Amino acid sequence: GESVGLHLPTLSVQEGDNSIINCAYSNSASDYFIWYKQESGKGPQFIIDIRSNMDKRQGQRVTVLLNKTVKHLSLQIAATQPGDSAVYFCAERADDYKLSFGAGTTVTVRA
Amino acid sequence: SQTIHQWPATLVQPVGSPLSLECTVEGTSNPNLYWYRQAAGRGLQLLFYSVGIGQISSEVPQNLSASRPQDRQFILSSKKLLLSDSGFYLCAWGGGSQPQHFGDGTRLSIL
C-alpha cells in the first residue's frame, strides 16, 4: 500500500487566504520529501522539497513544514491565487531511486 | 537548463494494437529515467525506471515494456494494448536525493 497519504482529498479556499495542505507518511526512515503541483492535463511540477534534517523551508509564497515526531508534512501557500488551483501531491523518497506518492489533494480557489 | 519531452500528447489506439511512447531529456547526462501511469483522479503509479543505458527495472507486472537505447531516451512499448492500458503516462528524470522532473504526459485512450 501507499506509505504517503493526504488527510483531505479536496480543499476549497477563498482567494487571498492562506492554504494548508497536509500529508502523513509512515516510513520513519524517510529522509527526503517533495511537494508537487499538477494542473489539469499536465505533468506534476516541482514546488519545494525538504530534507529530514530540517523542519521548515520557505520558497516564494510557499512553506513546507516537516514534523518527524508525528510523521507529518504540510504545504502552506500564502495569499492563494486562482492560479494555485490544482492537485497537490506530496512524495517521499522510498529508496535511492524511487519516490512514493500520495493520492493528492485538489485545491479549488474561490474568487 | 534541463528539459524533458514526451510525445505524442494524446493517442487513441484500438485494442490489440502496438504502442510506442517516447521520452527524451536534454541538458543532463546519465539521468535516472522513469515511466509512471496515472489513472483519472488518482496518484502516480511507477511502471519502470532506468539508471543507465539498457538497464530497466520493472515495478509492476503488466502488458508494457520499457527500453533505454540511448542515455537520454526512454521508450514505453506494448505489443498488444488492452483496455486497461488506458491512462495518462508520464515520463520523469532525476531521483535519488533530488526531485524528479516530469514531462507533460501522454493521454492514451484504448478503444
Side-chain angles (χ1 to χ4, degrees):
Chain A
E2 292 182 332
S3 65
V4 179
L6 301 188
H7 288 309
L8 295 174
T10 61
L11 176 67
S12 180
V13 60
Q14 185 69 37
E15 182 179 357
D17 288 352
N18 297 335
S19 303
I20 300 176
I21 307 166
N22 295 304
C23 180
Y25 64 95
S26 58
N27 184 358
S28 57
S30 293
D31 62 356
Y32 180 58
F33 305 87
I34 308 172
W35 280 101
Y36 288 93
K37 172 187 180 183
Q38 186 177 25
E39 297 177 81
S40 180
K42 295 187 177 181
Q45 178 185 14
F46 169 79
I47 302 173
I48 193 168
D49 57 3
I50 189 167
R51 302 188 191 279
S52 59
N53 60 351
M54 303 174 70
D55 53 21
K56 181 179 180 179
R57 191 164 187 227
Q58 289 184 289
Q60 186 176 12
R61 279 200 311 118
V62 295
T63 301
V64 55
L65 299 176
L66 176 63
N67 185 330
K68 294 181 285 294
T69 301
V70 295
K71 291 184 285 188
H72 183 267
L73 187 70
S74 67
L75 178 71
Q76 300 177 3
I77 305 173
T80 310
Q81 302 169 358
D84 295 327
S85 293
V87 179
Y88 290 80
F89 293 96
C90 64
E92 64 173 327
R93 185 164 83 124
D95 62 23
D96 286 345
Y97 305 110
K98 295 181 286 187
L99 296 176
S100 177
F101 288 85
T105 291
T106 301
V107 173
T108 302
V109 181
R110 305 188 307 272
Chain B
S1 64
Q2 301 88 358
T3 56
I4 181 168
H5 304 279
Q6 275 188 256
W7 65 93
T10 59
L11 188 60
V12 180
Q13 293 284 101
V15 170
S17 64
L19 173 74
S20 181
L21 301 181
E22 189 163 344
C23 171
T24 59
V25 179
E26 296 176 358
T28 185
S29 296
N30 196 31
N32 295 337
L33 296 173
Y34 303 83
W35 278 113
Y36 289 87
R37 177 168 56 207
Q38 187 177 30
R42 301 294 298 275
L44 289 85
Q45 180 188 32
L46 179 63
L47 302 176
F48 301 95
Y49 70 96
S50 171
V51 300
I53 296 174
Q55 299 180 61
I56 308 295
S57 296
S58 175
E59 289 298 294
V60 293
Q62 60 201 305
N63 184 43
L64 302 168
S65 61
S67 61
R68 185 170 178 174
Q70 300 180 49
D71 182 43
R72 287 167 286 182
Q73 184 184 30
F74 205 22
I75 298 172
L76 185 68
S77 304
S78 175
K79 292 182 180 177
K80 279 189 174 183
L81 285 167
L82 306 172
L83 283 173
S84 58
D85 291 324
S86 292
F88 190 45
Y89 288 84
L90 290 155
C91 181
W93 72 272
S97 292
Q98 299 295 326
Q100 291 180 18
H101 300 277
F102 289 83
D104 276 337
T106 294
R107 177 79 56 195
L108 176 63
S109 299
I110 310 300
L111 303 179

